[in-house]
Amino acid sequence: MANRKGVFIGAYVPSELKKALQQRAVSEHRTLSQEITRILEEAVRGARLPPGFVDRRTPNSAARRRNSDPLPRRRKDDVPFISSEQRKGED
């Protein structure tokens, strides 16, 4: 048997929930135990970042461009912005 580091937590869950967890675990290429551990970690610590994603922002970092750049955000050579008022006049 594998050398496990952790604590066994026994719980009774409905069979439908266990089947749903097993299906999700299989689709994510995990074992049922790994899937339950992931769910418990997210419940306690919050959601994890996607694999390969590195969050370099600090809690006090400035707002991103989308938050500070006024609408409409357009590139120089992009199609011109047409407001809803201008569209109503065309109909």
Side-chain angles (χ1 to χ4, degrees):
M1 189 166 203
N3 207 3
R4 299 177 191 263
K5 295 180 181 179
V7 177
F8 176 80
I9 298 176
Y12 291 100
V13 295
S15 58
E16 313 87 53
L17 180 59
K18 182 180 177 186
K19 288 176 187 173
L21 285 171
Q22 281 178 323
Q23 289 173 350
R24 182 193 251 180
V26 167
S27 71
E28 307 256 341
H29 306 288
R30 294 189 184 107
T31 64
L32 180 59
S33 181
Q34 289 170 330
E35 184 65 14
I36 293 170
T37 301
R38 183 193 64 79
I39 292 168
L40 290 172
E41 281 180 357
E42 285 184 2
V44 172
R45 299 183 183 143
R48 287 192 275 175
L49 295 172
F53 187 87
V54 178
D55 188 9
R56 293 183 177 90
R57 294 173 49 97
T58 61
N60 299 332
S61 63
R64 292 191 172 172
R65 182 172 173 264
R66 284 243 176 237
N67 295 337
S68 60
D69 203 19
L71 287 170
R73 291 182 280 274
R74 296 286 169 178
R75 291 182 216 92
K76 183 178 72 171
D77 300 324
D78 205 351
V79 177
F81 175 74
I82 300 172
S83 67
S84 57
E85 290 83 29
Q86 290 172 332
R87 283 190 202 140
K88 288 178 186 175
E90 291 177 4
D91 291 342

